[in-house]
Amino acid sequence: MVAIIETGGKQYKVAEGDIIYAEKLNVAEGDDIKFTSVLAVFEDDKIKFGTPYVTGVNVSGKILKNGKNKKITVFKFKAKKNYRKKIGHRQPYTKIQINTVAVV
């Protein structure tokens, strides 16, 4: 069974046992999490789409890690104006393992 969930303003296609890297969630490592915003569910031959969300579907997972991605460098400059600005950014993420995708 496969589901499409929404978290952090992004959509993820998940199945049991998948590991996803989502936008940072305010949940401690080792805690369980339930996703209530399920957009679609794909069972063998059945497809169920929500308007906007599907009811009666449980997607749960476990928080494995809260961390930051590799640093990216942002360099801004304007030609002939002696303007240069170099900054870096590390996007925070939450690593989640999907435990169950079940229709209730």
Side-chain angles (χ1 to χ4, degrees), residues 30-48:
D31 288 352
D32 292 329
I33 187 168
K34 290 190 178 187
F35 297 100
T36 56
S37 53
V38 178
L39 300 170
V41 176
F42 303 98
E43 283 186 275
D44 303 320
D45 294 339
K46 301 176 197 169
I47 300 174
K48 205 188 265 189

Side-chain angles (χ1 to χ4, degrees), residues 21-87:
Y21 292 87
E23 294 294 320
K24 185 174 186 288
L25 301 171
N26 290 328
V27 182
E29 292 181 17
D31 288 352
D32 292 329
I33 187 168
K34 290 190 178 187
F35 297 100
T36 56
S37 53
V38 178
L39 300 170
V41 176
F42 303 98
E43 283 186 275
D44 303 320
D45 294 339
K46 301 176 197 169
I47 300 174
K48 205 188 265 189
F49 291 103
T51 54
Y53 301 118
V54 178
T55 57
V57 177
N58 290 336
V59 178
S60 64
K62 184 175 183 177
I63 305 297
L64 298 178
K65 180 180 178 184
N66 287 318
K68 289 185 177 182
N69 284 332
K70 290 183 178 179
K71 181 178 272 192
I72 61 165
T73 304
V74 180
F75 186 74
K76 299 178 182 181
F77 85 103
K78 295 187 180 181
K80 303 175 189 169
K81 302 296 180 197
N82 198 22
Y83 171 77
R84 291 175 181 84
K85 188 175 189 179
K86 182 179 177 181
I87 58 173

Side-chain angles (χ1 to χ4, degrees), residues 1-5 11-22 33 35 42 59-65 94-101:
M1 182 178 304
V2 177
I4 297 176
I5 61 170
Q11 298 174 5
Y12 300 93
K13 181 179 174 184
V14 297
E16 290 185 18
D18 285 355
I19 294 177
I20 61 171
Y21 292 87
I33 187 168
F35 297 100
F42 303 98
V59 178
S60 64
K62 184 175 183 177
I63 305 297
L64 298 178
K65 180 180 178 184
T94 300
K95 184 177 179 181
I96 305 167
Q97 180 175 12
I98 304 299
N99 293 335
T100 59
V101 178

